[in-house]
Amino acid sequence: MYRQTDIPHPEPTRLGELKRLPRPLYGHRETLPNRAIPRRHRHPWAQLSYAARGVVEVATPEARFIAPPDRAVWIPPGRLHGVRCSRDSEIRSLYLDPEACDLEWPDCHVLEVQPLLRELIRAFGELPVLYDREGADNRLAQVLLDRLRAAPRVPLMLPWPREPRLTRLCQRIQERPDAPHRLSDHARRLGVAERTLSRAFRAQTGLGFRRWRQRCRLFAALPRLEAGERVTDVALACGYESLSAFIAAFREEFGRTPGELVNRAPL
């Protein structure tokens, strides 16, 4: 149930100015929170970062989470994070009091935004910030929360190492996904044995080097696909020598082809 407390002042426009949310569920379409904030920051409420168009990426010290339009990233209260988005993205962020909304998920993760949930987010964004808590607007908010609780989790997460040398290695791959990035070359550059580097990489990320590199490349492909680039061009730009290899890797990672995963239908 929602807490029965109201904010007796005009609608806020800056999230950082709020002492508490104006409603337990907050996400008006025209307010400033509907933009990407790449610098690392945190806030005392939870956030659902969602792009109605484009691709949104949430970076925490532990991982990178990416969401095309049929996905969204859940960020728990107090979690240090930055948000980036692809060009021409249209963000629909939701901010929540987790206790009041009965959504106390402690970890960042990616959720599937099914068609009904997508339409509920769109409709909720049209409500006033201080929507009526006793009428139809409140009922719409509760249905949205119900569908959010039922949303399936999906593994669109790239774990990030903390060891400085591995962090720089991962940044190189993220910045140049088209480069070969062989583990033996990185080991030679760092002056360590390839086996030692492989063990350290798995210990820090939970993934083998090749699997991590593949996931990083595929994450780099999503904004390009959403922007409408040719699949063949995206494959080459992300380090794949053939279209078939790219599609096979994409299907292995996401369980779908590139065309099936990226939903270009705007809100």
Side-chain angles (χ1 to χ4, degrees):
M1 295 296 294
Y2 291 161
R3 294 172 179 166
Q4 299 302 311
T5 57
D6 281 337
I7 304 256
H9 52 66
E11 296 183 358
T13 58
R14 291 184 179 274
L15 195 64
E17 295 174 355
L18 298 177
K19 300 300 182 184
R20 63 182 186 271
L21 294 178
R23 290 290 184 266
L25 179 61
Y26 170 44
H28 187 51
R29 181 173 62 88
E30 299 297 337
T31 54
L32 285 176
N34 287 316
R35 60 185 176 88
I37 304 176
R39 61 175 175 78
R40 295 285 178 90
H41 63 286
R42 65 178 93 224
H43 31 71
W45 35 73
Q47 177 179 349
L48 187 76
S49 191
Y50 171 66
R53 181 175 60 244
V55 175
V56 63
E57 178 186 307
V58 173
T60 72
E62 299 81 19
R64 306 293 187 268
F65 302 84
I66 194 163
D70 57 351
R71 304 289 189 265
V73 184
W74 171 266
I75 308 164
R79 182 63 55 89
L80 189 65
H81 68 282
V83 180
R84 297 181 182 275
C85 60
S86 59
R87 186 176 57 188
D88 299 325
S89 293
E90 185 179 347
I91 296 179
R92 294 279 196 274
S93 290
L94 298 178
Y95 298 86
L96 308 92
D97 178 335
E99 183 181 351
C101 295
D102 191 24
L103 272 168
E104 298 186 75
W105 293 327
D107 60 319
C108 278
H109 56 273
V110 180
L111 295 168
E112 181 179 350
V113 178
Q114 296 172 333
L116 177 56
L117 179 56
R118 182 189 68 204
E119 292 303 316
L120 288 166
I121 293 172
R122 181 198 62 78
F124 182 78
E126 301 298 327
L127 299 182
V129 171
L130 298 177
Y131 56 83
D132 179 8
R133 300 180 66 177
E134 303 299 331
D137 292 351
N138 188 52
R139 291 194 294 273
L140 186 148
Q142 292 194 52
V143 173
L144 192 163
L145 289 170
D146 182 63
R147 299 320 305 159
L148 185 57
R149 294 184 195 103
R153 295 193 184 195
V154 289
L156 290 175
M157 185 267 284
L158 185 68
W160 205 257
R162 288 185 173 272
E163 201 279 325
R165 292 185 302 174
L166 293 182
T167 297
R168 289 192 292 271
L169 187 160
C170 290
Q171 288 171 339
R172 284 173 178 261
I173 298 173
Q174 190 173 53
E175 291 167 2
R176 286 291 311 279
D178 59 321
H181 294 297
R182 290 180 288 268
L183 184 63
S184 57
D185 294 338
H186 288 293
R188 190 178 307 111
R189 181 176 52 82
L190 294 173
V192 299
E194 183 177 347
R195 183 173 297 180
T196 299
L197 183 58
S198 178
R199 285 198 299 266
F201 199 92
R202 185 177 290 276
Q204 288 274 313
T205 68
L207 296 176
F209 175 79
R210 289 186 179 181
R211 183 62 183 274
W212 193 97
R213 181 186 63 186
Q214 173 174 292
R215 188 173 293 183
C216 184
R217 285 172 166 174
L218 295 174
F219 277 24
L222 288 175
R224 292 174 175 270
L225 293 169
E226 173 62 18
E229 293 186 28
R230 294 174 62 244
V231 177
T232 300
D233 295 339
V234 174
L236 294 174
C238 293
Y240 288 89
E241 296 181 356
S242 71
L243 178 60
S244 60
F246 174 66
I247 292 176
F250 204 97
R251 189 190 295 274
E252 178 187 0
E253 189 66 47
F254 303 129
R256 309 183 191 184
T257 66
E260 290 169 341
L261 183 68
V262 178
N263 178 4
R264 294 190 175 87
L267 278 180

